[in-house]
Amino acid sequence: MIEFINVSKWYGSHRVLHDVNGRVERGEVVVICGPSGSGKSTLIRTVNRLESINNGQIIVGETDVNDRKKSVNRLRSGIGFVFQQFNLFPHLSAKDNVALAPITVRGLKKGEAYDRALELLDKVGLKSKADAFPGQLSGGQQQRVAIARALAMNPPVMLFDEPTSALDPEMVGEVLQVMKQLASDGMTMICVTHEMGFARDVANRVWFIADGEVLESTTPSEFFATPRHPRAQKFVADIRAH
Amino acid sequence: MTEILSQYGLLLLVGQFPDGPIGGLALTLLMSVAALLLAFPVAVAVAIARTSPIPAIRRAAAFYVTAVRGIPLLLIIFWAFFVLPLVTGVTSSPEITVICALVVYEGAYLGEAIRAALEALPKGQTDASRSLGMSYTATLRKVILPQALFNCLPSMMNQFVLIVKNTSLAYIIGAQEVTFSANSINAQLLTRPFEVYFILAAIYFILCYSLSRLSRVVENRVLRKRSRVTNQPITETPSLARVPS
Ligand SMILES: Nc1ncnc2c1ncn2[C@@H]1O[C@H](COP(=O)(O)OP(=O)(O)OP(=O)(O)O)[C@@H](O)[C@H]1O
Ligand SMILES: [Mg+2]
């Protein structure tokens, strides 16, 4: 479903992604973790070409992400992306946030788009907040609206970049709950997260990345019990300590 | 001073109207509003061009802004006065000439204010919109411009105050706005320039001061709304053009 083949990226002379290889099968959940600045965000943002790459290839479905002949907008509309900072549109209500892209990109009728938006808000437990503006919602609620917004385009793939890192601890659970539900519905997901519990319960694989290199790709139980690479050992010890 | 006001007050307010063309303060306001309304679309276009992903468009817009900012408004008015008839083939009234000059001038200044508002939006807004598959244009229209234009309402009000003051230059080419009225009153009275120009200054001051106060009110409204609406920490400076497409 998603494949990275020798993906490299530089910022000037600084190499942020270093020959990344990996596959995510349909319906799989992959958790990416690693120290700060290791390139996790950069990697996940290359999947829908929010970041370009200098070398290698990324395939999503049948599409070469960096093929200039393919429409980047069509590619992106098939890949849901959830940001650490939610990035809801503050001038639009929750419902309008969710319905905007289906109306604008897919040309859906307003009525249809709002029905679907309400359905999705219901799915993330926020039907009653449909008319609220982002500034009136808690962090956890905003992030759930953001997930509904990403789902509105019916993407076969969802990407999450530290979706719970900006949240107060008591709101982490409600967002992870929605993500778990998605996973059990069979969604293909890549999640950058340090939530060990989520990784253990939901992920098929964990990729550990440091200095732009994938140092370990293994099952969550193996990764947390017996990390092999010294940097992975230190990383696991560090998050245990918290 | 009061007898000047009682005798010439109407001339200051509306010029020769209703016996002749409208003038005085009314014309000042009319020209200012027209200049602002017409400069607005130009300014939006300039702001979009200044942040365009296409370098040639960015450079062209930057050239326009730099050029206008390096030239006194008075020169632009003269230039419009002599060039506009050559281009259009008809001699336009001084009022139209001044409005055109103000549009050229304000297109640059207001354009820069709008550009600043565009660039002040968190980059995540563009990222989120583009990640949904929205095109560059759709992102501008639905996500970036609505927020940026709302946020720069206060600076638009400030630009309007500047326009009001700048219309005083129109008397030089014979538009009969309030400065022109004051001048002709002074020419009739001959001996009382201090009082006449004091009245003129007071008129500008009262008008512009109230507009500034109004803009402060608008600004506070915007700030209050923004602080309620933005729970999202503002990260680095964005640029609509930075997302590869
Ligand atoms: N626009 C940029 N220009 C130059 N360097 C950048 C840019 N964006 C990111 N980097 C660098 O690329 C590296 C990887 O950054 P990235 O944001 O992908 O890390 P991350 O693993 O997501 O970190 P975090 O856990 O802090 O989110 C970092 O060293 C960062 O400083
Ligand atoms: Mg990151």
Side-chain angles (χ1 to χ4, degrees):
Chain A
M1 186 93 207
I2 303 171
E3 193 169 6
F4 300 89
I5 306 163
N6 293 324
V7 173
S8 293
K9 179 180 176 74
W10 284 265
Y11 281 119
S13 60
H14 177 41
R15 191 173 195 173
V16 278
L17 295 178
H18 200 120
D19 280 331
V20 173
N21 284 287
R23 271 178 85 88
V24 184
E25 303 297 339
R26 184 179 301 276
E28 252 187 355
V29 176
V30 167
V31 160
I32 298 178
C33 59
S36 180
S38 55
K40 306 178 297 293
S41 297
T42 307
L43 181 64
I44 199 169
R45 287 165 60 93
T46 60
V47 177
N48 66 352
R49 220 211 274 173
L50 282 177
E51 301 286 352
S52 56
I53 58 175
N54 299 102
N55 236 326
Q57 212 179 12
I58 301 170
I59 311 285
V60 176
E62 314 278 73
T63 315
D64 178 346
V65 169
N66 293 287
D67 182 351
R68 293 277 152 176
K69 291 193 287 289
K70 293 273 166 59
S71 153
V72 73
N73 295 329
R74 159 166 271 159
L75 167 86
R76 286 179 182 149
S77 69
I79 302 173
F81 200 108
V82 176
F83 299 85
Q84 180 174 359
Q85 305 295 352
F86 331 135
N87 295 341
L88 288 179
F89 307 131
H91 60 303
L92 299 178
S93 68
K95 186 175 70 185
D96 284 320
N97 263 278
V98 180
L100 177 66
I103 293 170
T104 320
V105 180
R106 296 258 162 87
L108 226 63
K109 296 235 168 40
K110 284 216 166 121
E112 226 175 304
Y114 286 124
D115 286 349
R116 173 87 178 122
L118 288 179
E119 206 176 288
L120 285 167
L121 286 172
D122 194 27
K123 186 170 171 166
V124 299
L126 289 172
K127 197 174 185 183
S128 62
K129 298 286 186 185
D131 292 313
F133 282 83
Q136 301 164 327
L137 298 174
S138 73
Q141 290 171 331
Q142 289 191 53
Q143 192 59 298
R144 284 186 284 154
V145 173
I147 294 173
R149 178 177 69 176
L151 289 171
M153 300 296 279
N154 298 317
V157 174
M158 287 283 284
L159 310 175
F160 296 84
D161 188 3
E162 304 208 36
T164 58
S165 308
L167 297 175
D168 294 338
E170 70 270 21
M171 295 172 184
V172 170
E174 62 194 64
V175 171
L176 291 179
Q177 192 52 46
V178 170
M179 292 170 63
K180 282 181 187 170
Q181 183 60 47
L182 272 179
S184 68
D185 292 347
M187 179 64 80
T188 309
M189 294 165 48
I190 301 181
C191 313
V192 175
T193 179
H194 293 162
E195 293 292 333
M196 283 203 291
F198 176 80
R200 204 176 284 122
D201 295 350
V202 180
N204 299 90
R205 301 194 76 76
V206 173
W207 296 357
F208 174 75
I209 170 170
D211 292 335
E213 265 185 284
V214 177
L215 296 180
E216 208 141 332
S217 163
T218 173
T219 61
S221 48
E222 254 183 27
F223 178 74
F224 290 115
T226 53
R228 277 172 313 214
H229 198 280
R231 295 202 57 176
Q233 288 165 0
K234 178 170 185 316
F235 178 81
V236 169
D238 280 352
I239 49 177
R240 281 263 156 68
H242 279 289
Chain B
M1 200 167 300
T2 40
E3 74 269 31
I4 296 181
L5 271 178
S6 64
Q7 196 180 346
Y8 294 104
L10 208 59
L11 185 67
L12 282 169
L13 278 183
V14 294
Q16 311 287 339
F17 193 78
D19 304 325
I22 198 158
L25 186 60
L27 183 63
T28 294
L29 281 174
L30 274 177
M31 291 198 312
S32 304
V33 170
L36 182 73
L37 290 182
L38 293 172
F40 179 72
V42 176
V44 170
V46 167
I48 292 172
R50 287 277 273 150
T51 57
S52 164
I54 302 164
I57 295 181
R58 274 206 307 273
R59 275 199 297 272
F63 175 77
Y64 163 68
V65 170
T66 317
V68 167
R69 289 210 292 197
I71 301 173
L73 174 59
L74 187 58
L75 273 185
I76 301 179
I77 293 176
F78 282 159
W79 184 75
F81 185 70
F82 293 114
V83 172
L84 216 55
L86 290 181
V87 175
T88 59
V90 289
T91 17
S92 35
S93 69
E95 292 79 11
I96 303 284
T97 305
V98 168
I99 290 171
C100 288
L102 276 172
V103 167
V104 169
Y105 186 75
E106 279 303 317
Y109 281 93
L110 193 57
E112 285 298 274
I114 296 175
R115 177 179 73 103
L118 285 180
E119 292 187 336
L121 288 181
K123 186 179 167 300
Q125 292 292 305
T126 306
D127 282 351
S129 178
R130 298 305 304 265
S131 78
L132 290 163
M134 305 243 291
S135 65
Y136 170 81
T137 323
T139 300
L140 261 181
R141 277 194 322 134
K142 305 285 183 173
V143 176
I144 303 300
L145 278 179
Q147 296 184 62
L149 294 181
F150 178 76
N151 290 349
C152 74
L153 273 178
S155 48
M156 278 190 233
M157 292 292 294
N158 287 330
Q159 288 299 323
F160 185 62
V161 171
L162 293 177
I163 292 177
V164 168
K165 289 192 288 189
N166 281 334
T167 51
S168 63
L169 291 174
Y171 98 94
I172 290 173
I173 58 166
Q176 312 199 345
E177 40 67 70
V178 67
T179 305
F180 186 95
S181 303
N183 250 349
S184 52
I185 294 167
N186 185 47
Q188 281 173 41
L189 294 173
L190 281 175
T191 53
R192 306 172 67 184
F194 175 77
E195 281 136 298
V196 171
Y197 288 119
F198 181 82
I199 292 172
L200 179 64
I203 291 176
Y204 275 116
F205 179 80
I206 291 168
L207 181 60
C208 293
Y209 181 72
S210 351
L211 284 170
S212 299
R213 287 306 298 246
L214 188 63
S215 100
R216 193 64 57 80
V217 171
V218 172
E219 189 169 354
N220 282 339
R221 253 265 170 107
V222 170
L223 284 179
R224 215 173 316 140
K225 166 136 190 184
R226 230 185 287 168
S227 65
R228 186 163 57 81
V229 159
T230 336
N231 280 357
Q232 316 178 5
I234 292 172
T235 44
E236 81 257 58
T237 336
S239 156
L240 192 66
R242 241 217 59 209
V243 178
S245 52

